[in-house]
Amino acid sequence: MTINLDWLGPFPLQDFFTVNELKRKFAVPGVYIWIEDTPTGEHLSYVGKASGSPPLFIRQQQHYANMIGGLYTIPKCYRSADFDWVPDWSKSDVAETLLDSDRFHQVVDDAFAYASHCAIYLAVLESAGQTKLIERQLLYDLQPTGTRWGKSTLPGVPLSITHHNAIWATAPIVAQARVLNLAE
């Protein structure tokens, strides 16, 4: 099966709270990617889906809230500390940070810095029925650095995805991808 994705963006995560036009436009199902701008260059870090319930814009709001709330991994390059923030509740240093106001505020400050370096691209889908299949194919094809599952094995229902308006497909992202069919 062939799928055409028309990409829109980039958008900062914060805009999904403040720009009403984005809320209206993206109150639909779709898929999305995050491109991180790091000191060593750009890379595609995340692939996600929104079934329509919640819609694309609310998924971005949820991600942002979880990120600045310390619930997501924050790569070392965005931290004031010299190590990744990994919210693993079984680790004593995570518990100590969560229970110490000053230490946790630093994680929150680092998360705000991280969020400001993420560019979001979205592709609207007409129906929610294929969001899971498309997300799974994108994970395999694009090899996001911030995700482990779905990258090493072919999807059970393989799709051929053609990307339109993929301004995110810079040389480093193309080199990172396993499969990337760009529209002419």
Side-chain angles (χ1 to χ4, degrees):
M1 184 184 319
T2 300
I3 302 290
N4 290 300
L5 295 180
D6 291 309
W7 292 99
L8 300 166
F11 302 104
L13 276 167
Q14 300 87 329
D15 283 5
F16 294 98
F17 285 95
T18 60
V19 180
N20 288 331
E21 180 184 334
L22 292 181
K23 293 178 189 178
R24 282 189 297 276
K25 185 174 192 163
F26 297 117
V28 294
V31 291
Y32 53 92
I33 60 173
W34 292 5
I35 306 293
E36 291 178 350
D37 180 23
T38 72
T40 59
E42 285 185 330
H43 63 272
L44 193 148
S45 67
Y46 190 79
V47 168
K49 68 178 182 328
S51 65
S53 181
L56 279 166
F57 88 90
I58 289 180
R59 282 298 294 135
Q60 305 320 304
Q61 290 177 339
Q62 291 169 336
H63 283 302
Y64 184 78
N66 286 328
M67 183 184 291
I68 64 166
L71 297 176
Y72 283 0
T73 296
I74 304 169
K76 177 172 80 170
C77 64
Y78 304 107
R79 300 276 331 271
S80 54
D82 194 30
F83 54 89
D84 292 344
W85 167 254
V86 180
D88 179 347
W89 313 122
S90 67
K91 304 232 181 215
S92 63
D93 62 321
V94 170
E96 291 167 9
T97 298
L98 293 173
L99 297 171
D100 181 287
S101 177
D102 291 335
R103 287 175 63 181
F104 187 67
H105 277 102
Q106 190 57 60
V107 169
V108 170
D109 288 344
D110 294 342
F112 271 87
Y114 176 42
S116 72
H117 287 88
C118 293
I120 312 305
Y121 294 84
L122 305 103
V124 171
L125 300 176
E126 292 193 20
S127 87
Q130 294 182 315
T131 55
K132 195 173 197 176
L133 293 173
I134 294 170
E135 177 197 36
R136 176 62 174 85
Q137 189 69 52
L138 288 172
L139 286 163
Y140 180 77
D141 289 353
L142 302 179
Q143 298 290 297
T145 59
T147 307
R148 290 192 182 138
W149 78 274
K151 294 178 8 176
S152 61
T153 59
L154 276 167
V157 178
L159 305 173
S160 175
I161 298 176
T162 301
H163 302 274
H164 299 265
N165 307 313
I167 63 171
W168 50 264
T170 60
I173 307 276
V174 170
Q176 174 184 335
R178 179 175 293 187
V179 177
L180 187 55
N181 299 316
L182 299 172
E184 298 292 321

Coordinates of all heavy atoms in Angstrom, one line a residue, residues 67-153:
M67 N 7.1 16.9 29.0 CA 8.5 17.3 28.9 C 8.9 18.2 30.0 O 9.9 18.0 30.7 CB 8.8 17.9 27.5 CG 10.2 18.2 27.3 SD 10.5 19.1 25.7 CE 10.1 17.7 24.6
I68 N 8.2 19.3 30.1 CA 8.6 20.3 31.1 C 8.3 19.9 32.6 O 8.8 20.5 33.5 CB 8.0 21.7 30.9 CG1 6.5 21.7 31.0 CG2 8.5 22.3 29.5 CD1 5.9 23.1 31.0
G69 N 7.5 18.8 32.7 CA 7.2 18.3 34.0 C 8.2 17.2 34.5 O 8.1 16.6 35.5
G70 N 9.3 17.0 33.7 CA 10.3 16.1 34.0 C 10.0 14.6 33.8 O 10.7 13.8 34.2
L71 N 9.0 14.4 33.0 CA 8.6 13.0 32.7 C 9.2 12.4 31.5 O 9.0 11.2 31.2 CB 7.0 12.9 32.6 CG 6.3 13.3 33.8 CD1 4.8 13.3 33.6 CD2 6.6 12.4 35.0
Y72 N 10.0 13.2 30.7 CA 10.6 12.7 29.5 C 12.1 12.8 29.7 O 12.6 13.6 30.5 CB 10.3 13.5 28.3 CG 8.9 13.3 27.7 CD1 8.0 12.3 28.3 CD2 8.5 14.0 26.6 CE1 6.8 12.1 27.7 CE2 7.2 13.7 26.1 CZ 6.4 12.8 26.6 OH 5.2 12.6 26.0
T73 N 12.8 11.9 29.0 CA 14.3 12.0 29.0 C 14.7 13.3 28.4 O 14.1 13.8 27.4 CB 14.9 10.8 28.2 OG1 14.5 9.6 28.8 CG2 16.4 10.9 28.0
I74 N 15.7 14.0 29.0 CA 16.3 15.2 28.5 C 17.7 14.9 28.1 O 18.5 14.6 29.0 CB 16.2 16.4 29.5 CG1 14.7 16.6 29.9 CG2 16.8 17.6 28.9 CD1 14.6 17.5 31.1
P75 N 18.1 14.9 26.9 CA 19.5 14.6 26.5 C 20.5 15.6 27.2 O 20.2 16.7 27.4 CB 19.5 14.8 25.0 CG 18.1 14.6 24.6 CD 17.3 15.2 25.7
K76 N 21.6 15.0 27.4 CA 22.7 15.8 28.1 C 23.0 17.1 27.5 O 23.3 18.1 28.2 CB 24.0 14.9 28.1 CG 25.2 15.5 28.8 CD 26.3 14.6 29.0 CE 27.1 14.3 27.7 NZ 28.3 13.6 27.9
C77 N 23.0 17.2 26.1 CA 23.3 18.4 25.5 C 22.4 19.6 25.8 O 22.7 20.7 25.5 CB 23.4 18.2 24.0 SG 21.9 17.8 23.1
Y78 N 21.2 19.3 26.4 CA 20.3 20.4 26.8 C 20.3 20.6 28.3 O 19.5 21.4 28.8 CB 18.9 20.0 26.4 CG 18.7 19.7 24.9 CD1 18.6 18.4 24.4 CD2 18.8 20.8 24.0 CE1 18.5 18.2 23.1 CE2 18.7 20.5 22.6 CZ 18.5 19.2 22.2 OH 18.4 19.0 20.9
R79 N 21.2 19.9 29.0 CA 21.2 19.9 30.5 C 22.3 20.9 31.0 O 23.3 21.0 30.4 CB 21.4 18.5 31.1 CG 20.5 17.4 30.7 CD 19.2 17.4 31.6 NE 19.3 17.8 32.9 CZ 19.7 17.1 34.0 NH1 20.0 15.8 33.9 NH2 19.7 17.6 35.2
S80 N 22.0 21.4 32.2 CA 23.1 22.1 32.9 C 24.0 21.1 33.6 O 25.1 21.4 33.9 CB 22.4 23.1 33.9 OG 21.6 22.4 34.7
A81 N 23.5 19.9 33.9 CA 24.3 18.8 34.4 C 25.0 18.1 33.3 O 24.6 18.3 32.1 CB 23.4 17.9 35.2
D82 N 25.9 17.3 33.6 CA 26.7 16.6 32.5 C 26.2 15.2 32.3 O 27.0 14.3 32.1 CB 28.2 16.7 32.9 CG 29.1 16.3 31.7 OD1 28.6 16.6 30.5 OD2 30.1 15.7 31.9
F83 N 24.9 15.0 32.3 CA 24.3 13.7 32.1 C 22.9 13.8 31.6 O 22.2 14.8 31.9 CB 24.4 12.8 33.3 CG 23.8 13.4 34.6 CD1 22.5 13.2 34.9 CD2 24.6 14.2 35.4 CE1 22.0 13.8 36.0 CE2 24.1 14.8 36.5 CZ 22.7 14.6 36.9
D84 N 22.3 12.8 30.9 CA 20.9 12.8 30.5 C 20.0 12.8 31.8 O 20.4 12.2 32.8 CB 20.6 11.5 29.7 CG 21.3 11.5 28.4 OD1 21.8 12.5 27.9 OD2 21.3 10.4 27.8
W85 N 18.9 13.4 31.7 CA 17.8 13.2 32.7 C 17.0 12.1 32.2 O 16.4 12.1 31.1 CB 17.0 14.5 32.9 CG 15.7 14.2 33.6 CD1 14.5 14.2 33.1 CD2 15.6 14.0 35.0 NE1 13.6 13.9 34.1 CE2 14.2 13.8 35.3 CE3 16.5 13.9 36.1 CZ2 13.8 13.5 36.6 CZ3 16.1 13.6 37.4 CH2 14.7 13.4 37.6
V86 N 16.9 11.0 32.9 CA 16.1 9.8 32.6 C 15.2 9.6 33.8 O 15.7 9.1 34.8 CB 17.0 8.6 32.3 CG1 16.1 7.4 31.9 CG2 18.0 8.9 31.2
P87 N 13.9 9.8 33.6 CA 13.0 9.7 34.7 C 12.6 8.3 35.1 O 11.5 7.8 34.9 CB 11.8 10.5 34.3 CG 11.8 10.4 32.8 CD 13.3 10.4 32.4
D88 N 13.6 7.5 35.6 CA 13.4 6.2 36.0 C 13.2 6.1 37.5 O 14.1 6.4 38.3 CB 14.7 5.4 35.6 CG 14.6 3.9 36.0 OD1 13.7 3.5 36.8 OD2 15.5 3.1 35.5
W89 N 12.0 5.9 37.9 CA 11.6 6.0 39.3 C 12.3 5.0 40.2 O 12.4 5.3 41.4 CB 10.1 5.7 39.5 CG 9.2 6.5 38.5 CD1 8.4 5.9 37.6 CD2 9.2 7.9 38.3 NE1 7.8 6.9 36.8 CE2 8.2 8.1 37.2 CE3 9.8 9.0 38.8 CZ2 7.9 9.4 36.8 CZ3 9.5 10.2 38.4 CH2 8.6 10.4 37.3
S90 N 12.9 4.0 39.6 CA 13.6 3.0 40.5 C 15.0 3.5 40.9 O 15.7 2.9 41.7 CB 13.7 1.7 39.7 OG 14.6 1.8 38.6
K91 N 15.5 4.6 40.3 CA 16.8 5.1 40.5 C 16.8 6.1 41.7 O 16.0 7.0 41.7 CB 17.4 5.7 39.3 CG 17.5 4.8 38.1 CD 18.8 4.7 37.5 CE 18.7 3.8 36.4 NZ 19.8 3.0 36.1
S92 N 17.7 5.9 42.7 CA 17.6 6.8 43.8 C 17.9 8.2 43.5 O 17.3 9.1 44.1 CB 18.6 6.3 44.9 OG 20.0 6.3 44.4
D93 N 18.8 8.5 42.5 CA 19.1 9.9 42.2 C 17.9 10.6 41.6 O 17.7 11.8 41.8 CB 20.3 10.0 41.2 CG 20.1 9.3 39.9 OD1 19.5 8.3 39.9 OD2 20.6 9.9 38.9
V94 N 17.0 9.9 40.9 CA 15.8 10.5 40.3 C 14.8 10.8 41.5 O 14.3 11.9 41.6 CB 15.1 9.5 39.3 CG1 13.7 10.0 38.9 CG2 16.0 9.4 38.1
A95 N 14.7 9.9 42.4 CA 13.8 10.2 43.6 C 14.3 11.3 44.4 O 13.6 12.2 44.8 CB 13.7 8.9 44.5
E96 N 15.6 11.4 44.6 CA 16.2 12.5 45.3 C 16.0 13.8 44.6 O 15.7 14.8 45.2 CB 17.7 12.3 45.5 CG 18.0 11.1 46.4 CD 19.5 10.7 46.4 OE1 20.3 11.4 45.7 OE2 19.8 9.7 47.0
T97 N 16.1 13.8 43.3 CA 15.8 15.1 42.5 C 14.4 15.5 42.6 O 14.0 16.6 42.8 CB 16.2 14.9 41.0 OG1 17.6 14.6 41.0 CG2 15.9 16.1 40.2
L98 N 13.5 14.5 42.5 CA 12.0 14.8 42.5 C 11.6 15.3 43.9 O 10.6 16.0 44.0 CB 11.2 13.6 42.2 CG 11.3 13.1 40.7 CD1 10.6 11.8 40.5 CD2 10.8 14.1 39.7
L99 N 12.3 15.0 44.9 CA 12.0 15.4 46.3 C 12.7 16.6 46.7 O 12.5 17.1 47.8 CB 12.3 14.2 47.2 CG 11.4 13.0 47.0 CD1 11.9 11.8 47.8 CD2 9.9 13.3 47.2
D100 N 13.6 17.2 45.9 CA 14.4 18.4 46.2 C 13.9 19.5 45.2 O 14.2 19.4 44.0 CB 15.9 18.1 46.0 CG 16.7 19.2 46.4 OD1 16.8 20.2 45.6 OD2 17.4 19.2 47.5
S101 N 13.3 20.5 45.8 CA 12.8 21.6 45.0 C 13.9 22.3 44.1 O 13.6 22.5 42.9 CB 12.2 22.7 45.9 OG 11.7 23.8 45.1
D102 N 15.0 22.6 44.6 CA 16.1 23.2 43.8 C 16.5 22.3 42.6 O 16.7 22.8 41.5 CB 17.2 23.6 44.6 CG 16.9 24.8 45.6 OD1 16.0 25.5 45.3 OD2 17.6 24.9 46.6
R103 N 16.8 21.1 43.0 CA 17.2 20.1 41.9 C 16.2 19.9 40.9 O 16.5 19.8 39.7 CB 17.6 18.8 42.6 CG 19.0 18.9 43.3 CD 19.3 17.6 44.0 NE 19.6 16.5 43.1 CZ 19.9 15.3 43.5 NH1 20.0 15.1 44.8 NH2 20.1 14.3 42.7
F104 N 14.9 19.8 41.3 CA 13.8 19.6 40.3 C 13.6 20.8 39.5 O 13.4 20.7 38.3 CB 12.5 19.1 41.0 CG 11.5 18.8 40.0 CD1 11.7 17.6 39.1 CD2 10.4 19.5 39.8 CE1 10.8 17.3 38.2 CE2 9.4 19.2 38.8 CZ 9.6 18.1 38.0
H105 N 13.7 22.0 40.1 CA 13.6 23.2 39.3 C 14.7 23.3 38.2 O 14.4 23.8 37.1 CB 13.7 24.5 40.1 CG 12.4 24.8 40.8 ND1 12.1 24.5 42.1 CD2 11.3 25.4 40.3 CE1 10.9 24.9 42.4 NE2 10.4 25.4 41.3
Q106 N 15.9 22.7 38.4 CA 16.9 22.7 37.4 C 16.5 21.8 36.2 O 16.7 22.1 35.1 CB 18.2 22.3 38.0 CG 19.4 22.5 37.0 CD 19.5 23.9 36.5 OE1 19.7 24.8 37.3 NE2 19.3 24.1 35.2
V107 N 15.9 20.7 36.6 CA 15.4 19.8 35.5 C 14.3 20.5 34.7 O 14.3 20.4 33.5 CB 14.8 18.5 36.1 CG1 14.0 17.6 35.1 CG2 15.9 17.6 36.8
V108 N 13.4 21.2 35.3 CA 12.4 22.0 34.6 C 13.0 23.0 33.7 O 12.6 23.1 32.5 CB 11.4 22.6 35.6 CG1 10.4 23.6 34.9 CG2 10.6 21.5 36.3
D109 N 14.0 23.7 34.2 CA 14.7 24.7 33.4 C 15.4 24.1 32.2 O 15.3 24.6 31.1 CB 15.8 25.5 34.2 CG 15.2 26.5 35.2 OD1 14.0 26.8 35.1 OD2 15.9 26.9 36.1
D110 N 16.0 22.9 32.4 CA 16.6 22.2 31.3 C 15.6 21.7 30.3 O 15.8 21.7 29.1 CB 17.4 21.0 31.8 CG 18.6 21.3 32.7 OD1 19.0 22.5 32.6 OD2 19.0 20.4 33.4
A111 N 14.4 21.3 30.8 CA 13.3 20.8 29.9 C 12.8 22.0 29.0 O 12.5 21.8 27.9 CB 12.2 20.2 30.7
F112 N 12.7 23.2 29.6 CA 12.3 24.4 28.8 C 13.4 24.6 27.7 O 13.0 24.9 26.5 CB 12.2 25.6 29.6 CG 10.8 25.8 30.2 CD1 10.5 25.2 31.4 CD2 9.9 26.6 29.6 CE1 9.2 25.4 32.0 CE2 8.6 26.7 30.1 CZ 8.3 26.1 31.3
A113 N 14.6 24.5 28.0 CA 15.7 24.6 27.0 C 15.5 23.5 25.9 O 15.7 23.8 24.7 CB 17.1 24.6 27.6
Y114 N 15.3 22.3 26.3 CA 15.1 21.2 25.4 C 14.0 21.5 24.5 O 14.1 21.4 23.2 CB 15.0 19.9 26.2 CG 14.7 18.7 25.3 CD1 15.4 18.4 24.1 CD2 13.7 17.8 25.7 CE1 15.1 17.3 23.4 CE2 13.5 16.6 25.0 CZ 14.1 16.4 23.8 OH 13.9 15.3 23.1
A115 N 12.8 21.9 25.0 CA 11.6 22.1 24.2 C 11.9 23.2 23.2 O 11.4 23.1 22.0 CB 10.4 22.5 25.1
S116 N 12.7 24.2 23.5 CA 12.9 25.2 22.5 C 13.8 24.8 21.4 O 13.9 25.5 20.4 CB 13.5 26.4 23.3 OG 14.9 26.2 23.6
H117 N 14.4 23.6 21.5 CA 15.2 23.1 20.4 C 14.5 22.0 19.6 O 15.2 21.3 18.8 CB 16.6 22.6 21.0 CG 17.5 23.7 21.4 ND1 17.4 24.2 22.6 CD2 18.4 24.3 20.7 CE1 18.3 25.2 22.7 NE2 19.0 25.3 21.5
C118 N 13.2 21.8 19.8 CA 12.5 20.8 19.1 C 11.6 21.5 18.0 O 10.8 22.3 18.4 CB 11.6 20.0 20.0 SG 12.6 18.9 21.1
A119 N 11.7 21.1 16.8 CA 10.8 21.6 15.7 C 9.9 20.4 15.4 O 10.3 19.3 15.2 CB 11.6 21.9 14.5
I120 N 8.6 20.7 15.3 CA 7.5 19.7 15.1 C 7.0 19.9 13.7 O 6.7 21.0 13.2 CB 6.4 19.9 16.1 CG1 6.9 20.1 17.5 CG2 5.4 18.8 16.0 CD1 7.8 19.0 18.1
Y121 N 6.9 18.7 13.0 CA 6.3 18.6 11.7 C 5.1 17.7 11.8 O 5.2 16.6 12.4 CB 7.3 18.1 10.7 CG 8.4 19.1 10.5 CD1 9.6 19.1 11.3 CD2 8.4 20.0 9.4 CE1 10.6 20.0 11.1 CE2 9.5 20.9 9.2 CZ 10.5 20.9 10.1 OH 11.6 21.8 9.9
L122 N 4.0 18.0 11.2 CA 2.8 17.2 11.2 C 2.3 16.9 9.8 O 2.4 17.7 8.9 CB 1.7 18.0 12.0 CG 2.1 18.5 13.4 CD1 2.4 20.0 13.3 CD2 1.0 18.2 14.4
A123 N 1.7 15.7 9.7 CA 1.0 15.3 8.5 C -0.4 14.9 8.9 O -0.6 14.0 9.7 CB 1.7 14.2 7.8
V124 N -1.4 15.6 8.4 CA -2.8 15.3 8.6 C -3.2 14.1 7.9 O -2.9 13.9 6.7 CB -3.7 16.6 8.2 CG1 -5.1 16.3 8.3 CG2 -3.3 17.8 9.1
L125 N -4.0 13.3 8.5 CA -4.6 12.1 7.9 C -6.1 12.3 7.8 O -6.7 12.8 8.8 CB -4.2 10.8 8.7 CG -2.7 10.5 8.8 CD1 -2.5 9.3 9.6 CD2 -2.1 10.3 7.4
E126 N -6.7 11.8 6.8 CA -8.2 11.9 6.6 C -9.0 11.1 7.6 O -10.1 11.5 8.0 CB -8.6 11.7 5.2 CG -8.0 12.7 4.2 CD -8.7 12.6 2.9 OE1 -9.8 12.1 2.7 OE2 -8.1 13.2 2.0
S127 N -8.4 10.0 8.0 CA -9.1 9.1 9.0 C -8.1 8.6 9.9 O -6.9 8.4 9.6 CB -9.9 8.0 8.3 OG -9.1 6.9 8.1
A128 N -8.6 8.2 11.1 CA -7.7 7.7 12.1 C -7.3 6.2 11.9 O -6.4 5.7 12.6 CB -8.4 7.9 13.5
G129 N -8.0 5.6 11.0 CA -7.8 4.2 10.8 C -6.4 3.7 10.6 O -6.0 2.6 10.9
Q130 N -5.6 4.5 9.9 CA -4.2 4.1 9.6 C -3.1 4.7 10.4 O -2.0 4.5 10.1 CB -4.0 4.3 8.1 CG -4.8 3.5 7.2 CD -4.5 3.8 5.7 OE1 -4.4 4.9 5.3 NE2 -4.4 2.7 4.9
T131 N -3.5 5.5 11.4 CA -2.4 6.2 12.1 C -1.4 5.2 12.7 O -0.2 5.5 12.7 CB -3.0 7.1 13.3 OG1 -3.8 6.3 14.1 CG2 -3.8 8.2 12.7
K132 N -1.9 4.1 13.3 CA -1.0 3.2 13.9 C 0.0 2.5 12.9 O 1.2 2.4 13.2 CB -1.8 2.1 14.7 CG -1.0 1.3 15.7 CD -1.9 0.4 16.5 CE -1.2 -0.1 17.7 NZ -2.1 -0.9 18.6
L133 N -0.6 2.1 11.8 CA 0.2 1.5 10.7 C 1.3 2.5 10.2 O 2.4 2.1 9.9 CB -0.6 1.0 9.6 CG -1.6 -0.2 9.9 CD1 -2.5 -0.4 8.7 CD2 -0.8 -1.4 10.2
I134 N 0.9 3.7 10.0 CA 1.8 4.7 9.4 C 2.9 5.1 10.4 O 4.0 5.2 10.0 CB 1.0 6.0 8.9 CG1 0.1 5.6 7.8 CG2 1.9 7.1 8.6 CD1 -0.9 6.7 7.4
E135 N 2.5 5.2 11.7 CA 3.5 5.5 12.7 C 4.5 4.4 12.7 O 5.7 4.6 12.8 CB 2.8 5.7 14.1 CG 3.9 5.9 15.2 CD 3.3 5.6 16.6 OE1 2.5 4.7 16.7 OE2 3.8 6.3 17.5
R136 N 4.1 3.1 12.7 CA 5.0 2.0 12.8 C 5.9 2.0 11.6 O 7.1 1.7 11.7 CB 4.2 0.7 12.8 CG 5.0 -0.6 12.8 CD 5.9 -0.7 14.0 NE 6.6 -2.0 14.0 CZ 7.7 -2.3 13.4 NH1 8.3 -1.3 12.7 NH2 8.2 -3.5 13.4
Q137 N 5.4 2.3 10.4 CA 6.3 2.3 9.2 C 7.3 3.5 9.3 O 8.5 3.3 9.0 CB 5.5 2.5 7.9 CG 6.3 2.3 6.7 CD 6.8 0.9 6.5 OE1 6.0 0.0 6.5 NE2 8.1 0.7 6.3
L138 N 6.9 4.6 9.8 CA 7.8 5.8 10.0 C 8.9 5.5 11.0 O 10.0 5.9 10.8 CB 7.0 7.0 10.4 CG 6.1 7.7 9.4 CD1 5.3 8.8 10.0 CD2 6.9 8.2 8.2
L139 N 8.5 4.7 12.0 CA 9.6 4.4 13.0 C 10.7 3.5 12.3 O 11.9 3.7 12.5 CB 9.0 3.6 14.2 CG 8.2 4.4 15.2 CD1 7.3 3.5 16.0 CD2 9.1 5.2 16.0
Y140 N 10.2 2.6 11.5 CA 11.2 1.7 10.8 C 12.0 2.5 9.8 O 13.2 2.4 9.7 CB 10.5 0.5 10.2 CG 11.4 -0.4 9.4 CD1 12.2 -1.3 10.1 CD2 11.5 -0.4 8.1 CE1 13.0 -2.2 9.5 CE2 12.4 -1.2 7.4 CZ 13.1 -2.1 8.1 OH 14.0 -2.9 7.4
D141 N 11.3 3.3 9.0 CA 11.9 4.0 7.9 C 12.9 5.1 8.4 O 14.0 5.3 7.8 CB 10.9 4.7 7.0 CG 10.1 3.7 6.2 OD1 10.4 2.5 6.1 OD2 9.1 4.1 5.5
L142 N 12.4 5.9 9.4 CA 13.1 7.1 9.7 C 14.1 6.9 10.9 O 15.0 7.8 11.1 CB 12.2 8.2 10.1 CG 11.2 8.6 9.0 CD1 10.2 9.7 9.4 CD2 11.9 9.0 7.7
Q143 N 14.0 5.9 11.6 CA 15.0 5.5 12.7 C 15.2 6.7 13.7 O 16.3 7.2 13.9 CB 16.3 5.1 12.1 CG 16.3 3.9 11.2 CD 16.1 2.6 12.0 OE1 16.9 2.3 12.9 NE2 14.9 2.0 11.8
P144 N 14.2 7.1 14.4 CA 14.3 8.2 15.3 C 15.2 7.9 16.5 O 15.2 6.7 17.0 CB 12.9 8.5 15.8 CG 12.2 7.2 15.6 CD 12.8 6.6 14.3
T145 N 16.1 8.8 16.9 CA 17.1 8.6 17.9 C 16.5 8.5 19.3 O 17.1 7.9 20.2 CB 18.1 9.7 17.9 OG1 17.5 10.9 18.1 CG2 18.9 9.7 16.6
G146 N 15.3 9.0 19.6 CA 14.8 9.0 20.9 C 13.8 7.9 21.2 O 13.1 7.9 22.2
T147 N 13.7 6.9 20.3 CA 12.8 5.8 20.4 C 13.5 4.5 20.1 O 14.4 4.5 19.3 CB 11.7 6.0 19.3 OG1 11.1 7.2 19.4 CG2 10.6 4.9 19.5
R148 N 13.2 3.5 20.8 CA 13.8 2.2 20.6 C 12.9 1.2 19.9 O 13.3 0.5 19.0 CB 14.2 1.5 21.9 CG 15.3 2.2 22.6 CD 15.9 1.4 23.7 NE 17.0 2.2 24.3 CZ 17.2 2.3 25.6 NH1 16.4 1.6 26.5 NH2 18.1 3.0 26.1
W149 N 11.6 1.2 20.3 CA 10.7 0.2 19.7 C 10.3 0.5 18.2 O 10.3 1.7 17.8 CB 9.4 0.0 20.5 CG 8.4 1.1 20.3 CD1 8.4 2.3 21.0 CD2 7.3 1.1 19.4 NE1 7.3 3.0 20.5 CE2 6.6 2.3 19.5 CE3 6.8 0.1 18.5 CZ2 5.5 2.6 18.8 CZ3 5.7 0.5 17.8 CH2 5.1 1.7 17.9
G150 N 10.1 -0.5 17.5 CA 9.6 -0.4 16.1 C 10.7 -0.1 15.0 O 10.3 0.1 13.9
K151 N 11.9 0.0 15.4 CA 13.0 0.4 14.5 C 13.7 -0.7 13.9 O 14.3 -0.5 12.8 CB 14.0 1.4 15.2 CG 13.3 2.7 15.6 CD 14.2 3.6 16.4 CE 15.7 3.3 16.5 NZ 16.5 4.4 17.2
S152 N 13.7 -1.9 14.5 CA 14.6 -2.9 14.0 C 14.0 -4.0 13.1 O 14.7 -4.7 12.4 CB 15.3 -3.6 15.2 OG 14.3 -4.2 16.1
T153 N 12.7 -4.1 13.2 CA 12.0 -5.1 12.4 C 11.0 -4.5 11.4 O 10.4 -3.4 11.8 CB 11.3 -6.1 13.3 OG1 10.3 -5.4 14.1 CG2 12.2 -6.9 14.1

